[in-house]
Amino acid sequence: MNLTLTSQAPERVETEALAVVVYESQPGAPASPRMDPGGIVSELFASGEATGKPLDTVLIHRPQGLAARRLLLVGGGKVEQFDSAQLRRAAGAALRFLKGKGVHEFVFAPSGNFPAGAQVAAAAEGLLAGDFEPDSYKTDKKDDKRIDRVAILADSSAQAALDRGVVTAQAQNLARSLINEPANRLTPKDLVARSRQVATDSGLEIEVLEQEQMQSLGMGALLGVAQGSAEPPAFIVLRYRPAGAPSSSTHLGLVGKAVTFDTGGISIKPAEGMEKMKYDMAGGAAMIGVMHALARLKPSIPVTAFVPTVENMPGSRAQRPGDIQTTLSGKTVEVINTDAEGRLILADALTYARRQGCTHLIDAATLTGAIVVALGHYNVGVFANDQVLLDRLLQSAKECGEKMWPMPLDEDYKEQLKSIIADLPNVGTRWGGAITAAMFLKEFADPTPWVHLDIAGTAWLEEAKPFLAKGPSGVAVRTLIDLAMKLG
């Protein structure tokens, strides 16, 4: 899909459809009064057919006084609450609605009480994210249901904002496309190949640690997870280095869990829903997407992504409950449950990232079902050992429209992580499971400032939204791009 800007007067734009935002608290008032010369919008509000409520859509054919063949009203809710997050959703909802109606090109009029550049960037992100479909393996695609072109109503001074929004959305969709791949089409080896292609396309440095190198280093926790699979593990390292001297000593490390399929190992999962365990690499996919964008946006600090990738399978060589693994840090772990494998591979990845000189660490992982119990499918669970880094990440999340909620990480929870035979068990009790999982990771991140994102409840949409297709969401990509651009 091609995105451009147009500065034409909205009533003169010749297009298949003109999409505008209308507000609940301003009945009948679209983005510009010139777009309602015949009074039809006011009539629809008066009759109750249009409400302006969030994502409410009404399509008007052959609107009087407009060159556009259709006028789409997209509800923005209360005008005083309308922000960039709501604009992204409105843009995505407009695109998905019009795509379903067989429209191939349209014009979107951004709106909001915030800068025009931010409006254009948010609109671009919403439009491109809304255009993603998870049907790549369908053979009966309906080619007439596609959007070829969208123009955003703004003047040429917003071109840089448009470009930034496009890069960010493409990164989110790259992560979604990786997450969407079935496990027989995206093994650890395949993820390495895709990462090499990303590095080549974007000019990133890439290093891949193979199994023998990880053995020499002593990554026992990671290798223990991988040993049940015929597919060898890999450790992907993507590096961005700014041109010239960095603006500060900050070196951001992004660590992403990439279990390309998770059966649970010997502690095998129930059959129901196991097909979705291809998305257990969503954290790693997010970091690959972020690096793809940063290579183009060029932050002032070095950023390195660390993506350990394995399969967790119940083969004859699989690790068993009760096994002891020695991590890269030297700490020993008693494996109580082989389905708590993500924290094992992240433990070695966090240690390696620290040894590579990272001054700040952020990991993202589909880590626990417990975070879904706590927060549902609406918020990412956020854990941190550093308040300053946490506050900066949450601010980026708010600006990028990604819901994240801080969770406790009190030392009291460490009481649940005791083993009589090793330094740590890999699970605690059933109570506060997302917290004890984060507490386990903290053992390998300290004392480096670190944030852990548990995206288990938000990385996959169980139902389609008006603005996003069912399936992979690409959560955390936008937030981490924004943070990396501002950190320094």
Side-chain angles (χ1 to χ4, degrees), residues 118-184:
Q119 292 181 28
V120 169
E125 291 168 16
L127 290 164
L128 285 170
D131 195 40
F132 178 90
E133 299 292 351
D135 61 353
S136 54
Y137 289 101
K138 284 192 174 183
T139 58
D140 61 342
K141 290 184 186 179
K142 297 178 174 56
D143 291 335
D144 60 321
K145 304 291 185 182
R146 72 182 190 280
I147 299 292
D148 297 321
R149 296 176 302 280
V150 181
I152 299 173
L153 272 178
D155 62 48
S156 58
S157 64
Q159 186 62 49
L162 175 64
D163 294 341
R164 184 175 68 250
V166 168
V167 168
T168 300
Q170 287 175 341
Q172 181 181 354
N173 284 348
L174 169 61
R176 295 166 80 191
S177 67
L178 291 171
I179 299 164
N180 198 51
E181 288 292 321
N184 66 325

Side-chain angles (χ1 to χ4, degrees), residues 178 182-195 231:
L178 291 171
N184 66 325
R185 303 294 182 99
L186 192 75
T187 64
K189 180 180 178 182
D190 295 320
L191 187 59
V192 167
R194 296 285 288 269
S195 299
E231 294 288 341

Side-chain angles (χ1 to χ4, degrees), residues 322-339:
D323 284 1
I324 305 294
Q325 303 292 2
T326 301
T327 67
L328 178 61
S329 72
K331 292 179 181 179
T332 56
V333 176
E334 181 183 10
V335 179
I336 303 298
N337 186 326
T338 65
D339 194 25

Side-chain angles (χ1 to χ4, degrees), residues 249-310:
S249 59
T250 300
H251 180 181
L252 178 60
L254 303 175
V255 181
K257 172 189 173 186
V259 179
T260 58
F261 196 78
D262 181 21
T263 67
I266 297 298
S267 307
I268 198 163
K269 295 177 180 290
E272 184 178 356
M274 196 192 287
E275 74 282 354
K276 289 196 288 288
M277 286 302 97
K278 67 180 186 178
Y279 91 91
D280 211 21
M281 42 68 70
M287 299 316 186
I288 294 168
V290 170
M291 295 301 291
H292 179 70
L294 294 183
R296 289 163 169 76
L297 297 176
K298 301 189 183 308
S300 62
I301 60 169
V303 183
T304 306
F306 304 88
V307 182
T309 179
V310 302

Side-chain angles (χ1 to χ4, degrees), residues 16 33 37 45 48 61 66 102 181 195 215 227 229 234 300 319 324 469:
E16 291 185 46
F45 268 88
H61 290 267
L66 300 185
E181 288 292 321
S195 299
Q215 287 171 338
Q227 70 188 44
S229 174
S300 62
Q319 68 180 352
I324 305 294

